[in-house]
Amino acid sequence: MALLVQKFGGTSVGSISKIQHVADKVISAREQGHDVVVVVSAMSGETNRLIDLAKEISTAPPPRELDVLVSTGEQVTIALLSMALIEKGHSACSYTGTQISLLTDDVHGKARIRSINSERILTDVKKGCVVVVAGFQGVTDEGHITTLGRGGSDTSAVAVAAAINADECQIYTDVKGVYTTDPRIEPKARLLKKITFEEMLEMASLGSKVLQIRAVEFAGKHNVPLRVLSTFEEGEGTLINYDEEGGMEQALISGIAFNRDEAQITITGVPDKPGIAFQILGPIAKANIEVDMIVQNVAGDETTDFTFTVHRNDYDRSLEILKKHAVELQAEDVSGDDTIVKVSMVGVGMRSHAGIASKMFEVLSKESINIRMISTSEIKISVIIDEKYLELAVRALHSAFDLEEPSPQNEENSLSET
Ligand code: ASP
Ligand code: MG
């Protein structure tokens, strides 16, 4: 018997029949002997609908009032789910963020959680009651309603799980879990049974958008085992926790992530002298543009070339800023390309194995894919390549590193992931 937090996202509670289905899932966990605290999002589309209403009145709605408005979506679903549970013969009780004193700072629209009154929740749980908590919302010390930012119910669920010291925080969604790569690009992508927090952070930040990154960070910090699983299909999903085996039993590579939102800026022939990186990137930082990868060449003739990547939405602005500074930087040329992508291989197993990078480069070279930039960390190798090679690169790497779903005849002697 365990204490579980089960979080259901907007698509899982998008209609009355789906809410009934969620109630059945919660009941089945109860019947297995578990104590359950549920966290729900608003019905799918509801938060957007509320924001649109506000925008009909004001182009910049006052943040405090906007939070009062958008937090209502979750209040609807907690009540409906509790009613469904009660109707099915179970005891249930709904709570808003305010009612469980989910205290946050006062940054409306992206508030950060400070504390939760766990006693209130646990008292009900002990009575055999399913506690249904509104995700996404909190309250300040002064009693003002706040929200945690889009997708914030994931973070609410993890915070509740941490506060009540739950055995697991289960995030129910419309996918079966975390895959080795995006199944839309590589249909042979395999569902991962488990992955570490740090791998998940690398995968999430690179575009595997199953979970809010902040929720994963929070779970890692408070050591809350997280599980991503489907509301609509049976299965164990993917468990995200710490690397207890210390990398020994870990697969070399857990997954291949990619990011299409990249753009590259290159500035050539600038004097190779102290301060040049600052002179180039200073104005970019000042414009609040985030820089991802950076490469600077050493040139023989006392000048250097400098390349960095930014989000595609910031591409035009970055190019414009640098063109403005080109003369003062004594640059030969400023150019850019927004038809590039980043492909990354992620795995804690890399720590204890050499040669992964060179194998990656070999695979790409066999496909005649040109690598424009490379960056590495302890558990990740990323390359920038032309956008048109994305699918090819992901599939070639996925196959070269044996990430596929094992075929039925191989399954018996496969040693991976027990
Ligand atoms: N309802 C909120 C949103 O749409 C929070 C969530 O779904 O996690 O962003
Ligand atoms: Mg969500």
Side-chain angles (χ1 to χ4, degrees):
M1 185 179 126
L3 174 57
L4 303 178
V5 170
Q6 300 191 317
K7 183 257 168 178
F8 294 90
T11 48
S12 304
V13 293
S15 66
I16 294 300
S17 70
K18 286 182 174 171
I19 289 174
Q20 302 275 20
H21 177 70
V22 165
D24 291 336
K25 288 204 83 89
V26 172
I27 289 168
S28 108
R30 290 286 297 136
E31 283 169 352
Q32 285 165 38
H34 303 309
D35 286 327
V36 185
V37 174
V38 184
V39 175
V40 284
S41 296
M43 294 167 93
S44 50
E46 178 64 7
T47 309
N48 288 339
R49 186 186 74 88
L50 294 166
I51 292 171
D52 290 345
L53 286 179
K55 291 210 165 136
E56 279 182 42
I57 291 185
S58 160
T59 48
R64 182 191 180 279
E65 303 313 323
L66 190 61
D67 274 352
V68 172
L69 177 69
V70 296
S71 62
T72 60
E74 275 73 11
Q75 189 165 339
V76 170
T77 45
I78 54 169
L80 290 174
L81 178 60
S82 299
M83 284 177 199
L85 286 163
I86 294 165
E87 190 68 19
K88 288 173 194 284
H90 285 257
S91 137
C93 193
S94 63
Y95 288 103
T96 62
T98 303
Q99 287 174 304
I100 56 158
S101 304
L102 194 150
L103 295 180
T104 70
D105 63 19
D106 58 4
V107 186
H108 287 286
K110 49 173 185 228
R112 299 194 76 89
I113 301 172
R114 286 186 174 153
S115 64
I116 295 178
N117 181 352
S118 57
E119 224 173 282
R120 179 100 198 233
I121 300 172
L122 290 170
T123 307
D124 274 11
V125 167
K126 279 193 194 107
K127 285 190 225 149
C129 182
V130 176
V131 174
V132 183
V133 175
F136 182 52
Q137 54 177 264
V139 66
T140 65
D141 287 333
E142 285 81 41
H144 302 291
I145 292 173
T146 53
T147 62
L148 309 178
R150 298 309 304 270
S153 298
D154 290 343
T155 301
S156 307
V158 172
V160 167
I164 63 173
N165 203 8
D167 295 295
E168 198 169 286
C169 180
Q170 305 182 328
I171 309 283
Y172 282 90
T173 178
D174 47 6
V175 294
K176 284 165 90 176
V178 182
Y179 284 82
T180 48
T181 195
D182 187 338
R184 284 169 300 189
I185 299 261
E186 173 49 276
K188 290 187 204 139
R190 178 169 47 87
L191 183 66
L192 289 161
K193 286 192 177 144
K194 57 182 202 171
I195 186 171
T196 66
F197 287 120
E198 31 175 2
E199 288 172 321
M200 188 62 212
L201 286 173
E202 295 289 5
M203 303 271 278
S205 63
L206 295 164
S208 310
K209 296 187 179 77
V210 256
L211 259 183
Q212 207 197 27
I213 296 186
R214 204 173 133 196
V216 180
E217 276 167 358
F218 204 115
K221 198 167 151 205
H222 296 272
N223 200 3
V224 176
L226 260 182
R227 189 183 291 279
V228 180
L229 63 183
S230 164
T231 312
F232 309 106
E233 286 177 83
E234 288 302 313
E236 301 286 294
T238 305
L239 177 66
I240 308 163
N241 64 4
Y242 274 107
D243 168 22
E244 273 143 17
E245 290 101 14
M248 295 293 287
E249 300 283 317
Q250 293 288 343
L252 225 46
I253 301 297
S254 290
I256 299 169
F258 53 84
N259 187 352
R260 288 192 171 94
D261 301 328
E262 300 262 334
Q264 168 188 327
I265 313 272
T266 300
I267 170 158
T268 55
V270 287
D272 188 13
K273 60 168 199 224
I276 197 71
F278 175 62
Q279 277 180 46
I280 293 170
L281 295 178
I284 298 287
K286 228 183 189 163
N288 255 322
I289 297 171
E290 217 175 292
V291 171
D292 181 17
M293 273 197 214
I294 304 169
V295 169
Q296 186 191 328
N297 277 349
V298 191
D301 59 355
E302 285 170 8
T303 68
T304 184
D305 300 342
F306 197 94
T307 301
F308 61 94
T309 62
V310 293
H311 193 284
R312 254 183 224 185
N313 294 344
D314 295 324
Y315 174 65
D316 291 335
R317 232 161 26 107
S318 307
L319 207 53
E320 200 182 297
I321 291 170
L322 279 186
K323 284 195 166 149
K324 233 189 277 164
H325 285 78
V327 176
E328 143 199 355
L329 287 165
Q330 297 171 261
E332 249 158 44
D333 188 38
V334 176
S335 63
D337 192 341
D338 63 351
T339 60
I340 55 152
V341 289
K342 179 162 79 172
V343 176
S344 307
M345 297 204 310
V346 177
V348 292
M350 270 183 217
R351 284 200 181 113
S352 41
H353 291 268
I356 307 228
S358 75
K359 180 167 171 189
M360 180 186 197
F361 306 151
E362 185 190 359
V363 171
L364 296 175
S365 85
K366 277 195 182 139
E367 303 294 342
S368 305
I369 298 171
N370 188 39
I371 301 171
R372 294 175 172 226
M373 293 170 89
I374 301 168
S375 86
T376 63
S377 82
E378 254 201 327
I379 64 161
K380 181 184 76 170
I381 306 167
S382 303
V383 295
I384 296 285
I385 59 172
D386 287 346
E387 181 178 63
K388 62 179 182 232
Y389 296 127
L390 173 67
E391 278 86 358
L392 180 61
V394 169
R395 287 190 202 129
L397 292 168
H398 198 269
S399 145
F401 284 89
D402 291 324
L403 294 177
E404 278 117 346
E405 194 71 73
S407 58
Q409 62 265 45
N410 295 341
E411 203 147 14
E412 259 167 273
N413 28 22
S414 146
L415 289 174
S416 58
E417 290 206 331
T418 39

